[in-house]
Amino acid sequence: MQRRTFIRAAASLALCPALTLALAQPPADGYPGKPVTIVVPFTPGQSGDVLARTLSDALTRQWGKTLVVDNKPGAGGTLGSKTASLAPADGYTLLLGSSGPMVVAPHLYKNAGYDPRKDFTPIMNVAGVAQVLVVAADSKYRTVQDLVAAAKAAPGKLSYGSGGAGSFQHLTMEMFKQRAGIDLQHVPYKGSAPAYTDLIGGQLDALFDSQPGVVPLLQSGKVRILAVSTPQRVPSLPQVPTVAESGYAGFDALGWLGIVAPKGLDPAIRDRLNADLKKALAADATKAQLASMGMLPIASSPDEFARTIDDELVKWGAVIKAGQISLD
């Protein structure tokens, strides 16, 4: 009896290392076992869509598994964001989260359909997009100070355009107005193209837009950039001062694009995705694509991205409250 008990105990002990190893195997070891989808809450061809497809190609090469981009535009990016938030938290549905839907829309809509803090798992803040303050090439305003002085001399007379009420362009200018203590008339458009038509034609005095959207017009000599919205100058526009340098210390309006998943994603899969995204961003083809779009690589950790979302929610909430802006 004692001999049989000893044999059973020895057999159990022999199995312990194998059992321990099995328990220690992270779920990410078999990930991804099937195609992964990135939901992009914007139309095809926009800079966010191009970034998602660039990452998709890089990750597909790493994994040997297909990564599909699924465009779900509408309601300022909230439609696709809500759709992604309701997907299973298994790593097979990801969202291209950006500053508009993630930290602006929740303040503008009474019910965006999701909570950026509670409904998503931050994976990586991938890249930043500078906003640039633009005037027509023949404008009399050659510096930020010129524009501010004119606005103060004629409150409410100067106008600025945006791609729509509540857009990041609109809110960046609202932040600038509040910091500079000026009053400008807002003219919202259905997209940037008609706003540029009126800017170049002299019906608008200025506007903020993302750097990628401005480059073609800058190259054709139709517009002039007065300043960039980032804390430091951007490498692709080294001669252009920041808004902060122009007299408004601390001004920071960086649009950003990152990858999130539905809340509850296994930490092992989250960390695997973060590591693989870093490899994708380190690839020469990816770096070249970001540079061509005027994007600034960030490649944050999940915790850093979570803090960014928290901080940005507070910052843009204050701008929206001070400007009494609402879309409902």
Side-chain angles (χ1 to χ4, degrees):
M1 181 69 177
Q2 289 177 342
R3 184 171 180 274
R4 287 197 300 270
T5 300
F6 174 79
I7 292 172
R8 284 197 296 268
S12 297
L13 287 170
L15 287 173
C16 280
L19 179 61
T20 301
L21 180 62
L23 291 174
Q25 289 286 358
D29 273 3
Y31 175 86
K34 60 182 181 179
V36 175
T37 296
I38 296 183
V39 176
V40 175
F42 308 112
T43 55
Q46 290 191 6
S47 56
D49 174 71
V50 175
L51 175 63
R53 293 178 189 278
T54 301
L55 295 175
S56 172
D57 290 345
L59 290 175
T60 295
R61 287 192 293 272
Q62 282 188 50
W63 295 341
K65 295 284 194 306
T66 303
L67 201 152
V68 179
V69 173
D70 184 12
N71 296 92
K72 291 189 179 296
T78 61
L79 180 62
S81 300
K82 180 179 179 180
T83 299
S85 73
L86 299 174
D90 55 8
Y92 291 97
T93 299
L94 308 175
L95 171 70
L96 183 77
S98 70
S99 39
M102 293 295 288
V103 299
V104 170
H107 295 293
L108 292 174
Y109 298 93
K110 291 179 180 176
N111 183 15
Y114 55 89
D115 184 313
R117 291 187 179 102
K118 296 179 180 178
D119 295 333
F120 294 103
T121 299
I123 296 171
M124 176 188 282
N125 192 359
V126 174
V129 183
Q131 301 291 301
V132 292
L133 180 57
V134 187
V135 297
D138 59 358
S139 171
K140 61 184 178 182
Y141 310 124
R142 307 196 68 84
T143 66
V144 170
Q145 292 89 339
D146 290 344
L147 180 64
V148 171
K152 288 187 174 181
K157 299 297 183 183
L158 275 64
S159 61
Y160 74 95
S162 78
S167 64
F168 204 68
Q169 303 156 325
H170 174 201
L171 295 177
T172 301
M173 185 63 89
E174 282 296 319
M175 178 189 284
F176 178 65
K177 284 170 52 182
Q178 291 168 22
R179 292 295 306 277
I182 58 176
D183 181 17
L184 303 176
Q185 181 182 354
H186 178 215
V187 184
Y189 292 82
K190 292 182 178 179
S192 297
Y196 276 117
T197 298
D198 283 357
L199 179 75
I200 295 166
Q203 285 78 46
L204 292 175
D205 293 290
L207 58 80
F208 266 104
D209 194 11
S210 64
Q211 184 187 346
V214 176
V215 169
L217 292 168
L218 181 66
Q219 292 173 339
S220 64
K222 294 180 179 179
V223 300
R224 182 189 308 132
I225 297 176
L226 302 186
V228 296
S229 68
T230 46
Q232 291 82 36
R233 296 191 183 197
V234 299
S236 54
L237 297 170
Q239 76 285 5
V240 179
T242 65
V243 174
E245 285 179 89
S246 303
Y248 304 97
F251 189 93
D252 179 6
L254 179 70
W256 47 262
L257 297 149
I259 300 295
V260 300
K263 195 67 175 180
L265 181 67
D266 190 292
I269 295 178
R270 177 202 64 192
D271 293 344
R272 164 75 185 275
L273 281 165
N274 184 273
D276 289 350
L277 284 165
K278 283 183 178 174
K279 292 178 187 175
L281 285 172
D284 289 341
T286 308
K287 289 191 286 188
Q289 182 65 64
L290 262 65
S292 72
M293 295 190 294
M295 290 186 178
L296 309 170
I298 296 176
S300 75
S301 71
D303 288 343
E304 288 169 339
F305 193 15
R307 287 193 293 272
T308 294
I309 292 171
D310 287 343
D311 293 345
E312 292 272 290
L313 277 165
V314 173
K315 178 173 75 177
W316 291 109
V319 171
I320 290 165
K321 183 178 180 180
Q324 299 181 332
I325 304 166
S326 174
L327 298 184
D328 287 327

